[in-house]
Amino acid sequence: MHLSSCWTVIGQSAKSKRQKEPGENKIKPINKKVKPKGLKMKEREPVDSSSKSQSILMQVMDKGRFQKLTATLSLSAGQSIELRCKGSNVTWSYPSYLDTFKDSRLSIKQLDRYGQLILTNSTAADTGEYSCWLQLCNGNKCRKDETKTGSTYIFFTDKEELFVPTPSYFEIVYLNPDKPAVIPCRVTTPSAKVTLHREFPAEEIETDETNIIYDAKKGFVYQHPTSDHKGIVYCKAESQGAPQISIKYHLLYVEVPKGPPSATIVASPSRAKVSDGIHVACTVLGEPDVDVNFSWQYPGQELERPVITQNFWRLINRGTGHTTRISKSVLIIEDFEARDAGNYICIAQNLQGATTVATRVELN
């Protein structure tokens, strides 16, 4: 609401200046002069062309008015909003949970000259980044046009919900020494005073704006996490009323370095009789927040021998606050045959690469 009134004041000021000097288009005593439009556009062209991108995002106001959006916008929860992006092939990004729950309050349409996003009956949970960009397509291949984008972070303020609601009451945050860690206690009111607290021992954690900083769009950011930061924390927010407490965050320190999976494989038993059952387990020790995908190659694969595969993972505490993740894939043959004897190969893959391990099962 503040943005809307701010634009109105600026527009009125510019309008009154143009009316005051209708016959002095060639006189430019100061840089604030707005009229004439054609001459001013030419003067500003070099400035505009120096920027890498041009915002194409606008908010539709009442009575058919439009307003270009700045980096942030504050609206009261319950309000509806319509955003438009100029272009014939527009892609949108918005808080992901709106997709997760297929929220009917969200409508996205592509019209001839612009893309349209409408969100009705907004809630505090809708707080987040809303952006759009043009897609440049050549046949089936499309890419983002970096010069035609738009973005704004919208706070849907709600005095009953100072923190952006989350689906859980407890969340794990991994502390990796190689990258910043974020405690995502985002607020719906940008002016709210937010502090970080440790549950035990009960104390407020000081933010020095260097190692620990607060960003209303993200939460508290640990720039250089260490094992000393582990533990359970929560956030407290105050804004013209009783303070509110966020959910709790369990900070776990990560000790495993990044890289392809470190995998091991074990067959039990390694020598089997006909009709025996065998288990071949492939195990990976890795970072808590890194997913591992498993695939198998085995003797009876081409013959389509029936096998069962089970994949699961769990977190383990290795002492001194260090936490790692054990991911495991188990291949099971319930009725071993002679043709099942041979090499069992496990391929474990994460974003950093793949590791292949093998073991042999003999016919006894």
Side-chain angles (χ1 to χ4, degrees), residues 3 7 54-61 64-70 73 75 81-87 90 92 113-118 130-133 149-152 154:
L3 282 170
W7 277 88
Q54 178 182 358
S55 178
I56 59 172
L57 178 63
M58 292 183 293
Q59 179 187 1
V60 180
M61 310 297 286
R65 294 185 299 114
F66 297 91
Q67 175 175 289
K68 282 191 175 182
L69 292 171
T70 53
L73 173 67
L75 298 173
I81 185 171
E82 178 180 348
L83 302 177
R84 289 186 184 180
C85 267
K86 293 182 289 185
V90 173
W92 293 89
R113 296 184 179 181
Y114 61 88
Q116 178 193 62
L117 182 151
I118 297 177
Y130 292 76
S131 60
C132 63
W133 58 90
T149 65
S151 179
T152 188
I154 304 178

Side-chain angles (χ1 to χ4, degrees), residues 50-291:
S50 66
S51 61
K52 292 183 179 179
S53 62
Q54 178 182 358
S55 178
I56 59 172
L57 178 63
M58 292 183 293
Q59 179 187 1
V60 180
M61 310 297 286
D62 57 351
K63 299 180 180 178
R65 294 185 299 114
F66 297 91
Q67 175 175 289
K68 282 191 175 182
L69 292 171
T70 53
T72 60
L73 173 67
S74 290
L75 298 173
S76 297
Q79 284 187 269
S80 298
I81 185 171
E82 178 180 348
L83 302 177
R84 289 186 184 180
C85 267
K86 293 182 289 185
S88 58
N89 190 7
V90 173
T91 300
W92 293 89
S93 176
Y94 42 84
S96 58
Y97 92 96
L98 287 170
D99 266 343
T100 304
F101 298 104
K102 295 181 173 56
D103 204 315
S104 60
R105 299 177 301 118
L106 178 69
S107 168
I108 292 180
K109 295 179 181 178
Q110 177 64 59
L111 289 88
D112 289 340
R113 296 184 179 181
Y114 61 88
Q116 178 193 62
L117 182 151
I118 297 177
L119 180 64
T120 59
N121 300 320
S122 63
T123 70
D126 299 323
T127 296
E129 192 85 26
Y130 292 76
S131 60
C132 63
W133 58 90
L134 286 187
Q135 287 278 73
L136 296 177
C137 295
N138 184 6
N140 293 328
K141 295 183 178 180
C142 295
R143 63 180 178 86
K144 180 180 180 179
D145 186 349
E146 298 291 348
T147 65
K148 300 291 179 62
T149 65
S151 179
T152 188
Y153 190 98
I154 304 178
F155 294 93
F156 289 100
T157 62
D158 185 344
K159 63 181 181 180
E160 302 298 327
E161 294 275 8
L162 289 183
F163 289 107
V164 179
T166 59
S168 63
Y169 294 96
F170 191 83
E171 191 170 324
I172 293 176
V173 176
Y174 299 108
L175 304 176
N176 190 313
D178 298 330
K179 61 182 179 182
V182 178
I183 290 86
C185 51
R186 298 180 296 128
V187 289
T188 62
T189 303
S191 60
K193 179 186 176 183
V194 187
T195 52
L196 182 63
H197 299 259
R198 189 183 304 279
E199 187 176 57
F200 183 82
E203 61 182 4
E204 181 178 337
I205 300 173
E206 293 185 7
T207 56
D208 53 13
E209 299 303 322
T210 302
N211 293 316
I212 304 177
I213 63 175
Y214 183 72
D215 183 337
K217 299 179 185 178
K218 298 178 180 179
F220 284 96
V221 181
Y222 284 76
Q223 299 284 27
H224 307 286
T226 70
S227 60
D228 293 336
H229 295 136
K230 65 183 180 293
I232 297 177
V233 301
Y234 61 90
C235 305
K236 181 186 292 187
E238 296 181 62
S239 177
Q240 300 177 349
Q244 296 181 22
I245 304 297
S246 73
I247 67 170
K248 293 179 181 179
Y249 301 91
H250 193 175
L251 311 188
L252 300 177
Y253 188 72
V254 177
E255 67 168 337
V256 180
K258 280 192 172 181
S262 175
T264 58
I265 188 169
V266 176
S268 178
S270 58
R271 298 183 66 88
K273 298 177 182 179
V274 172
S275 77
D276 280 354
I278 68 166
H279 293 64
V280 186
C282 186
T283 305
V284 168
L285 185 69
E287 290 187 87
D289 55 347
V290 175
D291 290 327

Side-chain angles (χ1 to χ4, degrees), residues 345-363:
I345 300 170
C346 168
I347 301 100
Q349 185 167 11
N350 62 18
L351 294 176
Q352 281 74 44
T355 301
T356 301
V357 288
T359 190
R360 187 171 181 81
V361 178
E362 302 283 358
L363 177 64

